[in-house]
Amino acid sequence: MRPGDQSEPTSPSRPGLEPRPGSRTSPGPRPTAAVLLLHGGRADGIEAPPPLNLPGRRMVPFGRAVSRAAGGGRIAVRTAVYRHRGWNGERADPVPDALRALDGLVAALGPVPVVLLGHSMGGRAALRVAGHPQVRGVVGLAPWCPPGEPVEQLADRDVVLLHGDRDRTTSPRGTRDLAARARRAGARSCVVNVEGSVHAMLRRATTWHALTARITAGLLGLVPLPTAVDEALRLPGDTDPAEGVVDAERCT
């Protein structure tokens, strides 16, 4: 499996942080929360992401939607910069880049709460680094969740994973399995099923953007969470895994 190969490419090779693409830096109140975007990539690829990075561009409308939902300047939306295009087996190259980006957010903003918003390979990286002390939650979009992924770092975190039921690049079943294991490990987790959608999130794009923005801002306490998501996050650890799955239609 090569998550993202069918439509994934990233940003400059300089590791660290970038402002949300298309955003402007302007004076105003200091943000009290942050969202870190982690785009997709490939299973393998040690080369730097290309200048024209389609996976990074795919996250642009998500960043804009989150900013609108949260009230603009109330949050900082930043993008992690990868040094390599792929995950690359045990190297797990996006993980240190994500941690570096988180540390950069803390240095810039202080100890504000952070939600990680990642797609595909970026969702896997977000889940891996969720134990960082500033991370409040993870929103994973069609995340890459192979068997045996660690979940202990997700204890006491909110984890909402959205997946299209027609995805053939990353596994909806793998996402549901990870969410159930995370709940048993002490996370507040659930899965949102986006019926009829595939990995690229182009089908039902409006639903993806709006629902992701509301959930992300909701995990930061800036807007109410969709009731179905809020109820699913409150389920006890021994809940039947099927009860932790809600349909996107119930969240709109």
Side-chain angles (χ1 to χ4, degrees):
M1 178 188 299
R2 300 176 62 86
D5 275 8
Q6 59 185 354
S7 53
E8 305 269 321
T10 255
S11 13
S13 57
R14 175 184 57 81
L17 280 171
E18 306 188 304
R20 170 177 56 81
S23 66
R24 298 179 179 178
T25 302
S26 59
R30 190 179 185 87
T32 58
V35 175
L36 181 63
L37 306 178
L38 296 110
H39 61 73
R42 293 182 170 184
D44 300 292
I46 60 172
E47 70 277 11
L52 179 60
N53 181 32
L54 297 181
R57 292 193 172 196
R58 181 173 294 131
M59 297 303 290
V60 171
F62 286 98
R64 290 174 176 161
V66 168
S67 185
R68 287 193 300 268
R74 301 167 70 186
I75 63 168
V77 179
R78 299 291 184 267
T79 298
V81 178
Y82 301 155
R83 293 169 295 174
H84 306 282
R85 196 172 187 176
W87 184 268
N88 299 319
E90 293 183 0
R91 288 173 47 145
D93 282 320
V95 171
D97 292 336
L99 288 170
R100 187 178 296 108
L102 280 167
D103 290 340
L105 276 176
V106 174
L109 301 176
V112 298
V114 178
V115 165
L116 305 173
L117 175 54
H119 173 236
S120 192
M121 183 186 79
R124 185 180 183 183
L127 291 163
R128 282 282 187 101
V129 303
H132 189 284
Q134 300 314 126
V135 172
R136 175 173 290 182
V138 175
V139 179
L141 310 177
W144 180 18
C145 300
E149 275 294 288
V151 294
E152 294 77 13
Q153 75 281 5
L154 300 173
D156 297 321
R157 302 298 191 267
D158 294 314
V159 179
V160 182
L161 308 177
L162 296 83
H163 218 129
D165 62 355
R166 297 186 183 180
D167 194 331
R168 298 297 181 265
T169 303
T170 57
S171 169
R173 178 178 294 181
T175 291
R176 295 183 184 198
D177 175 71
L178 185 137
R181 291 191 298 114
R183 190 182 305 113
R184 292 194 296 270
R188 296 172 292 274
S189 66
C190 73
V191 175
V192 177
N193 176 56
V194 186
E195 186 175 357
S197 190
V198 297
H199 193 69
M201 305 179 296
L202 297 177
R203 294 181 187 174
R204 306 195 61 188
T206 300
T207 297
W208 279 99
H209 298 156
L211 188 51
T212 297
R214 185 175 171 194
I215 290 171
T216 303
L219 293 184
L220 289 168
L222 300 175
V223 300
L225 279 167
T227 300
V229 171
D230 187 44
E231 291 175 349
L233 290 177
R234 297 174 186 272
L235 294 171
D238 59 355
T239 298
D240 185 300
E243 294 186 36
V245 181
V246 298
D247 287 329
E249 285 68 23
R250 292 182 54 202
C251 303
T252 55

